[in-house]
């Protein structure tokens, strides 16, 4: 009895020690790469529902495209299929933890020594295989971690698709706005070319001035096909993202560049990493790799198999179940691997390598999340600081072009100044449009970086509404 009391605890300790796997210190991994604060001063508030966030962009076409992409995008459908397969694997792994049983019934007919006999049987049989170190339990737990990882991967894919759709739409609207600016510039250049040609024919100007005007007009016209090609390319990208033919899509009339919801307030870096779906998915995958290695180590230990059956066997169907026809059996077997050590070593090494890979992947996802967020915040801060100066530059360039043309038409101005101010105006308007598109794209990048949208207060809502109203007025004035 004393020996038994000593041997059983010692065996249990050996089993536990043999399966022990030290999980990576994920908190330390995160601390080693996470800054204490962002270098940019932009911040975001609480997470907001998916639809509410995009609704605050005040663009029905954008919302419709994103909703379509969420439902039909091939990457989303593939992620949903992967999740279903992972859930099926978890169901199978959980089922392996419990005994299996089956009902059976049969008949047999034998002939011996010139005599034929018929027999009938019915019964219930079952079995249960149990690794003493918990191999199947660890496998089931690893499958559960995989399901959680696939759930988070699906959420991450949805956010990625929404962001890509929004970026393609913003860039399409920016190209359309640039095309409108170019058409207005072409009209101005054509008018200037007519005046230069008239003055040349009247002996008031030079032939070179007339040729310069035609050159500038032709250069502006050459931009049109390039911008039209860009617009079509963005439309094709939206067709791919939403999985529908481009000729069936309704983009509406050419609209202004969408204005993102203002007042972003981003949480601290460490808090951000707890929110992003891809970071959380990588963490679940890392946990699953730890459990898979434990399962591989457990396969070195004995497996207990229990089988049993109970039933009835009789010469006629009517006699089944009668007294004296019952049969039953119970068997137990303890199996220990002996000659398959090579496969066990290979399985354990494979699991260990997968754990190292998942550890590296987790750190890689952390670094990518931090980089994307920092770039988005820096980009937002930069584009917002430039916005007012660029708007003023457009106003001054427009005034300068108008005054130069009036002076030239009156015969007191320099033709070179007319060309220069018109080129400056076109460049200023293009730069201002590019900055607006860049600001919107940086907010989309921030949405992707922080793992979803964010809510804003009433003051920020009023500011965004004022910006949209100002943008609409500007577009109307330009037309």
């Amino acid at each position: 009895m004393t020996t038994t009391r000593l041997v059983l605890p010692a065996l249990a300790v050996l089993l536990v020690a043999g399966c022990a796997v030290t999980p990576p210190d994920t908190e330390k991994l995160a601390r080693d790469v996470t800054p204490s604060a962002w270098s940019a001063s932009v911040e975001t508030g609480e997470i907001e529902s998916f639809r509410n966030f995009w609704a605050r962009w005040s663009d029905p076409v954008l919302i419709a495209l994103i909703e379509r992409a969420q439902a039909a995008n091939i990457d989303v459908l593939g992620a949903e299929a992967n999740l279903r397969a992972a859930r099926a694997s978890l169901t199978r792994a959980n089922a392996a933890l419990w005994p299996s049983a089956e009902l059976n019934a049969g008949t047999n007919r034998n002939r011996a020594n010139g005599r034929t006999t018929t027999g009938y049987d019915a019964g219930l049989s079952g079995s249960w295989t149990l690794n003493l170190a918990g191999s199947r339990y660890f496998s089931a737990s690893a499958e559960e971690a995989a399901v959680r990882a696939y759930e988070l991967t699906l959420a991450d894919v949805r956010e990625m698709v929404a962001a890509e759709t929004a970026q393609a739409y913003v860039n399409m609207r920016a190209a359309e706005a640039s095309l409108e600016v170019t058409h207005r510039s072409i009209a101005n250049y054509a008018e200037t070319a007519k005046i230069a040609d008239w003055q040349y024919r009247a002996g008031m100007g030079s032939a070179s001035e007339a040729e310069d005007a035609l050159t500038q007009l032709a250069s502006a016209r050459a931009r049109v096909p390039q911008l039209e090609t860009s617009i079509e390319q963005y439309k094709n990208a939206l067709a791919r993202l939403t999985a529908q033919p481009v000729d069936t899509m309704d983009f509406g009339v050419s609209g202004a560049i969408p204005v993102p919801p203002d007042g972003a307030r981003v949480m601290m870096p460490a808090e951000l990493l707890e929110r992003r779906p891809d970071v959380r998915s990588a963490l679940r995958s890392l946990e699953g790799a730890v459990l898979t290695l434990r399962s591989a180590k457990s396969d070195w230990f004995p497996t207990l198999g229990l089988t049993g059956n109970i039933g009835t066997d009789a010469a006629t169907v009517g006699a089944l179940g009668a007294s004296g026809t019952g049969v039953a059996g119970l068997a137990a077997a303890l199996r220990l691997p002996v000659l398959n050590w090579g496969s066990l070593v290979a399985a354990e090494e494979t699991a260990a390598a997968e754990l190292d890979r998942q550890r590296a992947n987790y750190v890689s996802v952390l670094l990518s999340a931090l980089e994307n967020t920092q770039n988005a915040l820096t980009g937002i801060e930069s584009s917002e600081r430039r916005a007012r100066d660029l708007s003023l530059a457009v106003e001054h360039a427009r005034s300068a072009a108008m005054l130069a043309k009036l002076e030239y038409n009156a015969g007191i101005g320099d033709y070179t100044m007319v060309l220069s101010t018109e080129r400056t105006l076109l460049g200023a308007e293009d730069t201002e449009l590019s900055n607006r598109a860049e600001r919107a794209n940086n907010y989309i990048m921030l949405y992707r970086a922080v793992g979803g949208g964010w809510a804003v207060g009433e003051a920020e809502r009023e500011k965004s509404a004022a910006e949209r109203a100002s943008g609409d007025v500007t577009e109307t004035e330009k037309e």
Side-chain angles (χ1 to χ4, degrees):
M1 180 64 70
T2 302
T3 302
T4 301
R5 289 176 178 176
L6 294 175
V7 169
L8 290 179
L11 179 61
V13 170
L14 288 174
L15 290 175
V16 173
C19 304
V21 177
T22 302
D25 188 347
T26 55
E27 292 184 0
K28 183 179 184 303
L29 291 175
R31 284 197 307 271
D32 289 344
V33 299
T34 305
S36 58
W38 305 112
S39 60
S41 60
V42 185
E43 302 177 347
T44 66
E46 296 300 323
I47 191 169
E48 188 174 45
S49 69
F50 175 88
R51 180 170 178 80
N52 286 345
F53 175 78
W54 291 111
R56 289 194 286 106
W57 288 64
S58 300
D59 193 315
V61 177
L62 172 61
I63 296 171
L65 288 171
I66 290 177
E67 290 181 344
R68 166 74 186 188
Q70 293 288 295
N73 183 268
I74 301 303
D75 291 335
V76 172
L77 297 179
E80 289 176 345
N82 289 337
L83 177 57
R84 290 199 303 273
R87 285 172 174 167
S89 296
L90 175 59
T91 300
R92 182 169 55 249
N94 284 333
L97 296 175
W98 302 95
S100 61
E102 60 181 18
L103 292 170
N104 55 77
T107 180
N108 60 81
R109 189 179 182 87
N110 298 311
R111 182 176 178 81
N113 299 323
R115 181 180 178 185
T116 301
T117 59
T118 302
Y120 301 89
D121 63 85
L124 172 68
S125 61
S127 63
W128 186 22
T129 302
L130 177 66
N131 179 273
L132 298 183
S135 175
R136 291 189 175 182
Y137 169 78
F138 291 132
S139 294
S141 298
E143 293 292 346
E144 185 174 0
V147 168
R148 300 294 175 263
Y150 277 114
E151 289 174 344
L152 292 165
T153 296
L154 174 58
D156 185 60
V157 170
R158 288 183 181 277
E159 291 176 0
M160 177 189 67
V161 168
E164 288 183 358
T165 303
Q167 284 181 325
Y169 180 77
V170 165
N171 291 334
M172 182 193 73
R173 290 307 192 200
E176 288 176 344
S178 184
L179 182 60
E180 292 177 5
V181 169
T182 301
H183 280 309
R184 289 197 299 272
S185 298
I186 289 173
N188 291 335
Y189 292 151
E191 182 181 353
T192 302
K194 287 181 180 179
I195 296 172
D197 182 66
W198 176 82
Q199 290 189 347
Y200 165 64
R201 293 179 185 276
M204 300 170 59
S206 65
S208 62
E209 290 179 350
E211 291 298 326
D212 283 343
L214 292 174
T215 300
Q216 190 149 304
L217 175 60
S219 298
R221 286 175 176 167
R223 296 189 65 214
V224 173
Q226 183 181 15
L227 290 170
E228 289 176 341
T229 298
S230 295
I231 293 171
E232 290 303 314
Q233 289 175 341
Y234 288 126
K235 287 182 177 180
N236 292 335
L238 289 169
R240 171 182 57 81
L241 289 164
T242 57
Q244 58 183 321
V246 68
D247 57 359
T248 65
M249 302 176 69
D250 182 13
F251 297 104
V253 297
S254 178
I257 299 172
V259 179
D262 205 353
R265 286 181 293 276
V266 179
M267 66 285 297
M268 296 300 291
E271 296 172 327
L272 166 70
L273 298 179
E274 297 176 0
R275 173 174 167 174
R276 277 183 59 129
D278 58 342
V279 173
R280 293 159 61 199
S281 176
L283 182 58
R284 297 290 88 78
S285 296
L286 181 57
E287 293 172 352
V290 171
L291 293 166
T292 300
L293 180 55
R294 287 177 177 171
S295 176
K297 287 179 173 290
S298 300
D299 288 336
W300 287 91
F301 293 89
T303 298
L304 176 63
L306 299 175
T307 58
N309 63 82
I310 184 171
T312 177
D313 189 355
T316 63
V317 175
L320 289 175
S323 178
T325 62
V327 293
L330 179 65
L334 193 64
R335 296 188 297 274
L336 181 67
V338 175
L339 297 179
N340 61 337
W341 288 350
S343 62
L344 294 178
V345 169
E348 184 176 338
E349 180 60 23
T350 299
E354 177 63 14
L355 176 57
D356 290 339
R357 189 181 74 84
Q358 291 297 340
R359 181 192 292 108
N361 178 66
Y362 177 65
V363 176
S364 175
V365 172
L366 289 176
L367 292 171
S368 178
L370 294 167
E371 178 186 14
N372 293 341
T373 305
Q374 187 65 74
N375 287 343
L377 293 173
T378 303
I380 290 173
E381 185 180 51
S382 174
S383 59
E384 289 183 343
R385 288 171 57 191
R386 298 175 64 203
R388 178 171 175 77
D389 288 333
L390 290 175
S391 179
L392 290 174
V394 170
E395 292 180 13
H396 293 308
R398 187 175 292 119
S399 297
M402 181 184 66
L403 292 172
K405 183 173 291 187
L406 290 174
E407 291 172 353
Y408 179 68
N409 293 343
I412 60 173
D414 183 6
Y415 176 73
T416 304
M417 181 59 67
V418 174
L419 295 180
S420 176
T421 55
E422 286 181 343
R423 282 194 296 265
T424 300
L425 175 58
L426 177 60
E429 288 181 327
D430 267 347
T431 303
E432 196 269 339
L433 284 173
S434 297
N435 189 66
R436 284 164 54 193
E438 181 181 347
R439 179 174 180 267
N441 279 321
N442 280 321
Y443 268 99
I444 294 170
M445 186 188 301
L446 181 62
Y447 163 86
R448 179 83 175 90
V450 302
W454 55 87
V456 297
E458 190 60 33
E460 287 82 3
R461 293 178 192 273
E462 293 177 356
K463 180 179 177 183
S464 294
E467 284 188 0
R468 291 187 178 89
S470 175
D472 293 340
V473 169
T474 301
E475 292 297 321
T476 303
E477 289 176 347
K478 289 180 180 179
E479 293 173 1

